[in-house]
Amino acid sequence: MERTLSIIKPDGVSKGVAGEVIGRMERAGIRICAMKMVRLTLEQARLFYAVHKERPFFESLTQFMTSGPIIAMVLEAENVIVKNRDLMGATNPKEALPGTIRRDFASDVEKNIVHGSDGPETAAQEIKFFFSDLEIQH
Ligand code: UDP
Ligand code: MG
């Protein structure tokens, strides 16, 4: 069974679509085995998105990610990394397929409602960033 980290970003929380996003995951057969609402500091957001630190959108992205509370979750299912990315849709909501979370709810390429780990190594690393083993239900 595979695990991934999902985040409902500040825009997803403030738009009131957290329940809808979580419902889509559950209906896709994904199990939520950890969940918390937190507000990141700028330092934490910079650490989480360190892989993008040279990108032109880094400053704006990290500011956005600290602009309000987020909901971090550990998701579990077979092939859940790809399954979750499929539910999310493309990074740019204009390119995301109809019926995906980003296409349905996101306003632009930055404020795109959700984060999802992009591979097994990043998933393990990102889960550890938010959760200790004790906080994850087995
Ligand atoms: N992002 C942005 N502008 C871009 C590309 C990405 O603001 O041109 C933001 C967006 O919020 C995205 C995040 O940076 O979700 C991380 O980018 P990545 O390429 O990893 O996209 P994701 O894996 O989230 O689809
Ligand atoms: Mg990514």
Side-chain angles (χ1 to χ4, degrees):
M1 202 58 89
E2 191 175 68
R3 283 180 180 167
T4 192
L5 183 86
S6 167
I7 299 175
I8 302 176
K9 296 183 179 184
D11 58 331
V13 173
S14 67
K15 281 179 171 173
V17 298
E20 174 61 27
V21 168
I22 292 165
R24 288 183 186 206
M25 291 164 174
E26 290 180 326
R27 290 194 293 276
I30 292 171
R31 186 172 86 95
I32 297 163
C33 45
M35 181 185 297
K36 64 171 77 165
M37 180 179 272
V38 293
R39 185 159 180 176
L40 295 177
T41 64
L42 193 55
E43 192 182 10
Q44 290 168 330
R46 288 170 158 276
L47 208 57
F48 184 77
Y49 278 118
V51 61
H52 293 309
K53 65 177 183 292
E54 309 299 340
R55 310 286 290 278
F57 57 81
F58 182 70
E59 259 331 299
S60 177
L61 171 64
T62 51
Q63 288 291 342
F64 160 59
M65 288 300 289
T66 63
S67 67
I70 62 171
I71 298 170
M73 294 174 281
V74 177
L75 308 183
E76 190 178 79
E78 246 155 62
N79 206 22
V80 73
I81 295 172
V82 167
K83 209 175 249 180
N84 180 49
R85 299 281 313 191
D86 286 348
L87 288 177
M88 290 162 59
T91 309
N92 187 339
K94 290 191 191 108
E95 290 159 15
L97 295 176
T100 61
I101 292 164
R102 284 167 164 172
R103 173 70 169 262
D104 291 349
F105 304 119
S107 56
D108 59 68
V109 68
E110 178 183 86
K111 295 173 182 63
N112 59 4
I113 308 285
V114 278
H115 168 85
S117 308
D118 63 6
E121 287 81 24
T122 33
Q125 200 182 317
E126 291 178 353
I127 288 169
K128 264 180 113 174
F129 185 92
F130 283 97
F131 298 97
S132 74
D133 280 344
L134 277 171
E135 294 175 306
I136 302 172
Q137 306 304 312
H138 294 272

